[in-house]
């Protein structure tokens, strides 16, 4: 680029002014150190790293549009009679919260746009958090040293859910009011303290007069402040650890390859903020969301058919819909398993496993090293399969949360749909696990195949002997490196239960449990091609020297595998596949 | 002969040296130049494109101000949507122009040479750690906390207790009067008329035709101290069927000539069970699809609810209006721990 090599131009007025400002700031803050450290900091480039950025930017959009809304929204449950431009609601009794939402939509210019921007941004915020988490999960970016940052991100996801629910409830329309009623029902199902928790939330009986003002404080102050603080921590740790990078030539655990923060990422990431904001604005301009003027104000006796919560709440709703009506009484006390299981226990389990995953996997690998090069999902078959199974159960709950819409759209019986989902909830995740794991192992085998035998060229050669072969083109060093760079993961080895004198070793049980976990993760595996294997394959093909190589290679494998199943193709097979 | 040994990918094995355990990283790809890197015309073109994108943004932002001034939301949904659409599209252009310009600039014009930077282990070096531990140890020694157990205990206890001064009043006030038994009581008692929700008009038994469903509130609802709270417990769904279809009821004589009334609050998590299917006499909760059979004591026939909807015993007064014989005999709505106490 010309700008890099051009000789220093005589200082222009702008340059001199910039220098003077920089000098002023540096003398008072010592900012020079930070600029020197960060201005040219390297960040790797990949589209999937943008998912987290979308979350960050949609949060900024939420702050901007939310501030606009607070200027006109009245968080009060005082009943008023509506008189305004929206004739359908003329004279209807409603809370001030709902009336001010109508005013925002009909009378405040740009108010509806900001409401719709706010709502769409919230949906995108949650969606990008979830997909960003999926990216981090499937590429193993949560491994040491990033376990704590995974927890920070997890907490941000939970806070996002709370922010969404508390905001959704503020307009005090029929839909959100019934959502709160469901929340009240779930709170009351909690043993012993349930009624008191409900009273504590609502300031007395449902719906009371307190809830909207309380939710407002939670929604505009508490949760955003926590989210903001944790985002700061999240990004600080990204800078501390330096960003992970996808595997490829030249990329190692000891370096980071990419472009400098200034100017490339200032432009790209800064520009991307505007792109995200623009897309949200376009959605808000063209797609109606939450038209509360059609729903009407909350009334405890009214409900709409086909009502759906926002997408990120559907899994809870789906659980409530699927659960059979189990409830039992001990002595005089009622325990509602029909609410506790889908409302508390299942989400509790799902979230706990998610939060603890980095630590579970660390126990299985026994690996204490830092990892900065990401995994290709196929190279971690158990993790990938587990993630897909997890998403499958989540998706079934989401779909079950829309079972009434599925029934009306596809003209199916709601009872059949519910029963289908009840069965699928148990059957589909293991099936998804098994299929995904097989796919991962197959992809790894395909990688081996490619490395050992190269690309098919479609060129057929006939030998003097009359033999036909297809010419294969070997991979270049970069292509090959991508497929062999990962370390084989094997189940951990542990010391025997008894030492040489037959004394039982302390801590053996824990080790044995870790070994079992480790076998579960890594017993089925395909290992990357080693140079010896490649040489063997090549010499096989060309009837060349090194006749002993395959034999050595086989010994090596059995020694390394130590009794576990080993799925690397045998050398004999390689010959077969080579000469088809 | 299937593999042609091209020297760049060949392994150095022929001379009999031992093979490495793993392949070696071939190092970074060679940089591939963009068209604009060598072609000044292409570079100029990219620059013009960036300028045009910024110009679109400027026009969009001006357009937003114009749309604000000229297109008010108006009185109808149509005019409101138009105002929203124009303002939103202008905002979109104002933002997208900047975003795309910046990204295009970065991709087409800025230096695109990848660089590598070293990473250092996250943990600090051993000498730093030793110094850190030493600093803490000195601090602990200076504070002499190690030797003064009582002081330590007193400090921990006082720190643990001080939040109580804030938390107790906060939590104590959150629940209002904390009279949780209120959720077991409704406005229904002997002689209270059934009236139509929301008009409050009393209902004559003779006006209730077979197959019809009424959404009902108690007549004294508006006089209650907190009408909305009371309504949330007292709403009732009343239906009339052919008396011969009525298989059972929760108490003898609780219906009136085929008219049955049930609490409208679902026994699952409390949504109003507002859907009545007159052929099957099923009452359906639209939230989670719990289904109750109105002809059979509102027993659960499907879905996550466990208990039937409580039945309101009804009869008619001297003027022929429907009235409650008594209140509900069980708490309405979702189950809770002390429901039966």
């Amino acid at each position: 680029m010309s700008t890099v090599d051009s000789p220093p131009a005589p200082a222009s007025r702008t340059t001199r002014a910039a220098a003077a400002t920089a000098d002023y700031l540096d003398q008072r803050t010592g900012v020079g150190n930070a600029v020197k450290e960060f201005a040219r900091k390297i960040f790797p480039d990949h589209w999937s790293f943008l998912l987290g950025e979308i979350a960050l930017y949609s949060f900024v959009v939420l702050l901007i549009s939310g501030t606009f809304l607070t200027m006109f929204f009245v968080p009060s449950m005082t009943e008023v009679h509506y008189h305004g431009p929206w004739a359908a609601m003329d004279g209807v009794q409603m809370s001030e919260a709902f009336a001010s939402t109508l005013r925002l939509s009909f009378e405040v210019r740009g108010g509806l746009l900001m409401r719709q921007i706010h709502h769409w941004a919230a949906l995108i915020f949650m969606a990008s958090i979830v997909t960003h988490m999926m990216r981090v999960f499937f590429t193993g970016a949560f491994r040491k040293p990033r376990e704590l940052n995974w927890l920070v991100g997890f907490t941000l996801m939970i806070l996002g859910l709370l922010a969404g629910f508390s905001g959704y409830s503020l307009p005090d329309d029929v839909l959100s009011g019934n959502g709160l009623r469901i929340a009240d029902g779930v709170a009351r199902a909690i043993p012993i303290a349930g009624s008191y928790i409900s009273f504590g939330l609502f300031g007395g009986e449902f719906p009371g007069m307190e809830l909207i003002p309380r939710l407002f404080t939670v929604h505009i102050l508490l949760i955003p402040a926590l989210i903001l603080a944790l985002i700061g921590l999240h990004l600080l740790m990204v800078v501390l650890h330096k960003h992970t990078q996808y595997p490829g030539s030249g990329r190692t655990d000891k370096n980071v390859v990419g472009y400098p923060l200034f100017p490339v990422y200032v432009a790209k990431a800064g520009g991307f903020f505007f792109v995200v904001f623009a897309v949200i604005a376009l959605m808000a301009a063209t797609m109606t969301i939450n038209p509360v003027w059609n729903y009407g104000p909350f009334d405890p006796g009214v409900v709409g058919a086909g009502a759906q919560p926002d997408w990120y709440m559907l899994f809870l709703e789906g659980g409530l819909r699927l659960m059979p009506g189990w409830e039992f009484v001990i002595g005089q006390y009622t325990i509602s398993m029909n609410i506790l299981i889908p409302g508390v226990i299942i989400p509790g389990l799902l979230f706990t496993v998610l939060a603890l995953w980095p630590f579970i996997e660390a126990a299985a690998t026994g690996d204490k090293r830092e990892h900065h090069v990401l995994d290709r999902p196929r190279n971690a078959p158990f993790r990938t399969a587990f993630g897909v199974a997890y998403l499958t159960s989540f998706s079934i709950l989401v779909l079950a949360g829309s079972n009434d819409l599925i029934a009306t759209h596809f003209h199916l019986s709601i009872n059949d749909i519910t029963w289908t989902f009840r069965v699928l909830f148990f059957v589909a995740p293991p099936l998804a696990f098994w299929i995904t794991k097989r796919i991962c192992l197959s992809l790894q085998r395909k990688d081996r195949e490619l490395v050992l035998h190269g690309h098919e060229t479609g060129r057929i050669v006939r030998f003097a002997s009359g033999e036909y072969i297809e010419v294969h083109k070997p991979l270049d060093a970069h292509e090959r490196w991508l497929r062999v760079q990962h370390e084989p993961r094997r189940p951990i080895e542990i010391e025997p239960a008894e030492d040489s004198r037959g004394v039982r070793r302390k801590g053996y049980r824990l080790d044995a449990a870790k070994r079992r976990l480790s076998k579960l993760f890594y017993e089925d595996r395909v290992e990357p091609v080693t140079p010896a294997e490649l040489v063997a394959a090549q010499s096989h093909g060309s009837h060349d020297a090194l006749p002993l190589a395959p034999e050595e290679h086989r010994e090596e494998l059995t020694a390394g595998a130590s009794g576990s199943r080993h799925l690397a193709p045998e050398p004999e097979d390689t010959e077969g596949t080579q000469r088809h | 002969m299937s593999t042609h040994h091209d020297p760049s990918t060949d392994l150095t094995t022929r001379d009999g040296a031992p093979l490495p355990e793993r392949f070696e990283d071939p190092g970074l790809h060679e940089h591939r130049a963009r068209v604009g890197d060598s072609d000044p015309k292409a570079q100029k073109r990219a620059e013009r494109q960036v300028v045009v994108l910024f110009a679109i943004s400027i026009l969009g932002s001006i357009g937003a101000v114009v749309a604000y001034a000229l297109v008010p939301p108006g009185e109808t949904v149509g005019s409101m949507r138009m105002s929203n659409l124009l303002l939103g599209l202008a905002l979109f252009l104002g933002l997208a122009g900047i975003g795309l310009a910046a990204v295009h600039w970065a991709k087409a014009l800025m230096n695109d040479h990848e660089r590598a930077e070293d990473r250092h282990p996250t943990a600090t070096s051993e000498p730093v750690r030793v110094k850190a531990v030493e600093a803490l140890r000195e601090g602990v020694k200076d504070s002499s906390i190690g030797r003064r157990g009582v002081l330590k205990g007193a400090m921990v206890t006082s720190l643990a207790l001080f939040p109580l001064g804030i938390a107790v009043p906060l939590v104590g006030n959150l629940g209002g009067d904390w009279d949780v038994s209120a959720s077991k009581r409704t406005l229904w008692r002997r002689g209270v008329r059934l009236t139509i929700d929301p008009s409050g008009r009393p209902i004559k038994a003779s006006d209730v035709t077979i197959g019809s469903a009424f959404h009902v509130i108690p007549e004294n609802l508006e006089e209650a101290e907190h009408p909305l709270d009371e309504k949330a417990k007292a709403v009732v769904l009343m239906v009339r069927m052919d008396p011969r279809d009525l298989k059972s009821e929760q108490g003898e004589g609780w219906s009136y000539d085929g008219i049955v009334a049930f609490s409208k609050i679902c026994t699952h998590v409390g949504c109003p069970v507002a859907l009545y299917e007159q052929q099957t006499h099923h009452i359906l909760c639209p939230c989670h699809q719990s289904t109750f059979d109105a002809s059979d004591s509102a027993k659960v026939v499907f879905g996550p609810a466990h208990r039937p909807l409580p039945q309101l015993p009804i009869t008619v007064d001297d003027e022929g209006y429907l009235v409650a014989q008594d209140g509900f005999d069980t708490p309405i709505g979702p189950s809770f721990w002390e429901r039966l106490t």
Side-chain angles (χ1 to χ4, degrees):
Chain A
M1 287 295 307
S2 57
T3 45
V4 176
D5 307 317
S6 58
S12 70
R13 252 174 76 178
T14 350
T15 320
R16 279 203 308 275
T21 313
D23 178 54
Y24 181 93
L25 281 176
D26 190 46
Q27 295 214 29
R28 281 152 190 86
T29 61
V31 73
N33 272 326
V35 172
K36 172 181 144 271
E37 186 70 22
F38 296 118
R40 300 292 278 175
K41 208 172 164 60
I42 299 296
F43 281 89
D45 214 24
H46 193 268
W47 66 265
S48 69
F49 300 158
L50 296 184
L51 295 167
E53 277 187 52
I54 298 177
L56 175 65
Y57 299 150
S58 48
F59 181 68
V60 176
V61 173
L62 283 167
L63 290 182
I64 295 170
S65 53
T67 306
F68 183 103
L69 296 178
T70 54
M71 301 294 147
F72 307 100
F73 177 72
V74 184
S76 155
M77 295 175 92
T78 308
E79 294 284 313
V80 293
H81 290 271
Y82 178 75
H83 297 290
W86 181 230
M89 293 273 158
D90 194 49
V92 172
Q93 195 178 343
M94 59 182 66
S95 66
E96 279 192 281
F98 189 78
S100 64
T101 309
L102 289 184
R103 201 166 87 78
L104 254 168
S105 307
F106 285 96
E107 291 163 74
V108 177
R109 291 188 187 195
L112 178 64
L113 185 67
M114 286 299 159
R115 262 194 63 220
Q116 302 205 127
I117 284 179
H118 199 69
H119 206 138
W120 280 122
L123 298 192
I124 289 174
F125 179 56
M126 283 314 297
S128 51
I129 287 180
V130 170
T131 39
H132 172 62
M133 258 183 127
M134 279 157 60
R135 196 281 292 170
V136 169
F137 182 90
F138 286 116
T139 59
F142 53 78
R143 289 172 299 167
K144 190 182 172 187
R146 296 183 178 77
E147 303 98 320
L148 297 180
N149 219 11
W150 169 266
L151 287 181
V152 172
F154 170 82
T155 315
L156 278 167
M157 188 260 295
I158 301 286
L159 287 171
L161 286 177
L162 293 174
F165 187 75
S166 57
Y168 180 78
S169 305
L170 286 177
D172 205 19
D173 58 292
V174 159
L175 272 188
S176 70
N178 279 311
L180 285 171
R181 180 125 216 194
I182 295 169
D184 176 54
V186 173
R188 283 169 53 164
I190 294 167
I192 306 172
S195 299
Y196 295 92
I197 293 172
S198 161
F199 261 61
L201 285 175
F202 291 90
E205 283 193 271
F206 175 89
M209 296 290 283
E210 313 277 356
L211 190 69
I212 298 283
R214 283 182 186 179
L215 281 178
F216 187 67
T217 308
V218 168
H219 182 76
I220 72 152
L221 177 74
L222 276 183
I223 296 178
L226 283 173
I227 290 181
L228 211 53
L230 287 181
I231 285 179
L233 188 59
H234 204 60
L235 295 180
L236 178 74
M237 287 216 248
V238 170
V239 171
L240 275 181
H241 295 140
K242 298 190 173 155
H243 208 289
T244 50
Q245 53 194 350
Y246 278 91
S249 349
R251 285 146 174 86
T252 72
D253 278 331
K254 297 214 165 17
N255 72 4
V256 50
V257 178
Y259 302 103
L261 179 65
F262 180 75
V264 175
Y265 281 102
V266 170
K268 272 193 179 176
F272 193 52
F273 163 73
F274 288 95
V275 172
V276 170
F277 199 166
V279 169
I280 294 172
L282 185 64
M283 292 172 83
T286 54
M287 293 189 272
T288 302
I289 187 167
N290 208 23
V292 290
W293 56 87
N294 288 338
Y295 306 155
F298 177 60
D299 178 329
V302 178
V303 69
Q308 306 281 298
D310 278 347
W311 78 267
Y312 47 83
M313 283 288 157
L314 275 174
F315 76 106
L316 288 172
E317 175 80 358
L320 283 172
R321 291 182 185 195
L322 284 193
M323 187 67 199
W326 298 348
E327 177 180 309
F328 53 86
V329 175
I330 298 178
Q332 290 181 303
Y333 298 107
T334 309
I335 298 177
S336 313
M337 297 315 283
N338 53 350
I339 303 168
L340 283 175
I341 288 179
V344 180
I345 296 172
I346 286 181
L349 274 177
L350 282 176
F351 284 145
T352 309
V353 170
L354 195 61
L356 296 183
W357 184 264
F359 307 98
I360 297 170
E361 200 183 295
T365 52
D367 187 358
K368 304 267 188 292
R369 295 165 306 163
E370 291 194 5
H371 292 279
H372 302 289
V373 174
L374 296 171
D375 282 327
R376 300 170 81 207
R378 69 185 63 175
N379 290 337
F382 185 90
R383 178 208 295 148
T384 305
F386 183 88
V388 172
Y390 188 100
L391 285 173
T392 306
S393 50
F394 179 79
S395 309
I396 287 170
L397 290 178
V398 168
L399 285 175
S402 305
N403 61 355
D404 49 345
L405 293 189
I406 296 175
T408 50
H409 279 278
F410 297 102
H411 306 286
L412 296 168
S413 144
I414 188 110
N415 303 20
D416 294 347
I417 294 172
T418 304
W419 268 108
T420 308
F421 283 136
R422 281 175 181 173
V423 173
L424 279 180
F425 183 73
F426 292 98
V427 174
L431 199 66
F433 179 90
W434 184 78
I435 292 173
T436 312
K437 197 168 154 187
R438 289 294 121 189
I439 291 177
C440 287
L441 292 170
S442 306
L443 285 172
Q444 281 185 289
R445 280 200 203 94
K446 186 183 144 230
D447 282 349
R448 281 185 61 90
E449 170 71 23
L450 257 178
V451 171
L452 287 173
H453 306 300
H455 300 288
E456 292 176 1
T457 58
R459 201 153 65 84
I460 310 289
V461 174
R462 197 182 79 169
F463 288 88
S465 60
E467 181 189 14
Y468 285 93
I469 62 154
E470 182 185 359
V471 175
H472 284 218
K473 181 176 168 291
L475 273 59
D476 73 34
H478 298 293
E479 287 177 305
R480 184 169 64 211
W481 176 247
L482 182 67
R483 290 166 179 83
V484 299
Q485 46 77 32
H486 58 291
E487 287 184 342
R489 293 198 182 95
R490 301 178 180 134
I492 50 174
E493 304 292 333
I494 57 169
E495 290 167 40
E498 292 164 359
D499 64 15
S500 54
R501 284 166 297 174
V503 180
R504 269 195 81 79
R505 186 165 65 83
K506 255 173 111 181
Y508 173 72
R509 276 162 166 275
L510 183 65
D511 280 358
K514 277 190 188 166
R515 158 95 180 144
R516 278 197 297 278
L517 181 68
S518 192
K519 274 176 86 164
L520 192 66
F521 269 65
Y522 301 122
E523 185 155 53
D524 295 342
R525 66 181 182 281
V526 175
E527 300 199 347
V529 176
T530 63
E533 286 173 310
L534 182 56
V535 169
Q538 286 177 343
S539 64
H540 240 290
S542 55
H543 303 282
D544 225 292
L546 291 168
L548 278 175
E551 297 301 321
E552 283 169 10
H553 157 70
R554 223 175 310 169
E555 272 172 30
E556 227 171 69
L557 283 185
T558 36
S562 66
S564 56
R565 272 178 289 155
H566 197 293
L567 300 167
E570 291 294 313
E572 282 81 7
D573 298 343
T574 61
E575 189 178 9
T577 45
Q578 192 176 4
R579 299 176 162 237
H580 33 107
Chain B
M1 265 310 291
S2 63
T3 44
H4 286 244
H5 291 185
D6 116 45
S8 72
T9 63
D10 204 10
L11 292 155
T12 51
T13 54
R14 299 303 165 112
D15 51 6
L19 287 167
E21 286 257 314
R22 296 176 48 74
F23 284 94
E24 266 174 47
D25 185 348
L28 288 178
H29 280 273
E30 252 180 72
H31 178 249
R32 227 181 280 156
R34 295 166 295 193
V35 182
D37 290 342
S38 51
D39 180 3
K41 261 199 203 149
Q43 206 171 35
K44 198 74 204 161
R45 195 161 55 237
E47 190 184 331
R48 269 200 307 275
Q49 285 162 347
V50 173
V51 172
V52 167
L53 284 167
F54 277 124
I56 289 175
S57 165
I58 294 168
L59 290 179
S61 299
I62 295 170
V65 178
V66 173
Y68 170 84
L70 297 187
V71 192
E75 314 234 319
T76 67
V77 172
S79 63
M80 177 179 73
R81 292 230 165 100
M82 182 52 70
S83 151
N84 184 66
L85 179 68
L86 293 178
L87 204 53
L89 284 179
L91 182 62
F92 162 72
L93 291 177
L95 294 161
I98 298 178
L100 296 176
V103 173
H104 190 43
W105 183 357
K107 291 189 106 148
L109 293 172
M110 287 184 185
N111 183 348
D112 75 332
H113 282 78
E114 270 191 325
R115 318 151 174 253
E117 191 177 80
D118 284 345
R119 284 180 197 273
H120 309 287
T122 309
T124 44
S125 66
E126 202 47 40
V128 174
R129 282 187 173 204
V130 170
K131 275 189 191 149
V133 171
E134 186 54 32
L136 288 179
R137 198 172 283 140
E138 277 175 23
V140 169
K141 203 171 123 218
D142 287 354
S143 72
S144 72
I145 193 164
R147 288 179 285 115
R148 299 183 212 273
V150 180
L151 189 152
K152 194 163 37 175
M155 178 182 75
V156 170
T157 312
S158 62
L159 282 175
L161 291 186
F162 97 88
L164 288 180
I166 302 158
V168 169
L170 173 67
V171 174
N173 284 302
L174 274 182
D177 59 6
W178 292 108
D179 178 15
V180 293
S181 67
S183 55
K184 296 181 191 171
R185 298 186 292 269
T186 70
L187 287 180
W188 294 108
R189 43 195 107 286
R190 187 180 178 75
V192 171
R193 275 185 178 164
L194 281 71
T195 63
I196 289 174
D197 180 19
S199 68
R201 199 160 45 79
I203 307 163
K204 271 210 162 105
S206 51
D207 293 342
V208 182
T209 54
I210 286 180
S212 62
F214 280 69
H215 300 277
V216 169
I217 49 176
E219 62 174 334
N220 48 0
L221 185 63
E222 281 309 312
E223 293 134 44
E225 199 183 344
H226 300 295
L228 217 52
D229 296 6
E230 293 302 337
K231 187 174 180 184
K233 296 182 289 184
V235 279
V236 157
L237 185 71
M238 185 184 78
V239 300
R240 184 168 203 166
M241 62 189 84
D242 188 326
R244 284 167 299 182
D245 288 347
L246 202 58
K247 281 178 251 165
S248 73
E249 39 190 331
Q250 290 174 18
E252 204 179 324
W254 280 13
S255 65
Y256 178 81
D257 200 17
I259 305 176
V260 281
F262 296 102
S263 164
K264 199 170 152 190
I265 304 305
C266 186
T267 57
H268 177 221
V269 281
C271 284
V273 284
L275 306 181
Y276 177 63
E277 218 286 304
Q278 49 163 268
Q279 299 299 319
T280 55
H281 310 305
H282 284 177
I283 299 172
L284 179 82
C285 174
C287 288
H288 306 103
Q289 290 91 40
S290 292
T291 312
F292 306 87
D293 187 350
S295 66
D296 192 9
S297 310
K299 277 182 194 144
V300 180
V301 288
F302 187 77
H306 175 74
R307 290 176 297 106
L309 298 165
Q311 186 172 1
L312 183 71
I314 53 167
T315 183
V316 291
D317 63 10
D318 310 340
E319 299 169 57
Y321 287 108
L322 287 162
V323 293
Q325 287 183 30
D326 202 347
F328 291 107
D329 73 338
T330 68
I332 59 93
S335 297
F336 49 97
W337 178 254
E338 68 278 20
R339 193 178 76 86
L340 298 175
T341 59

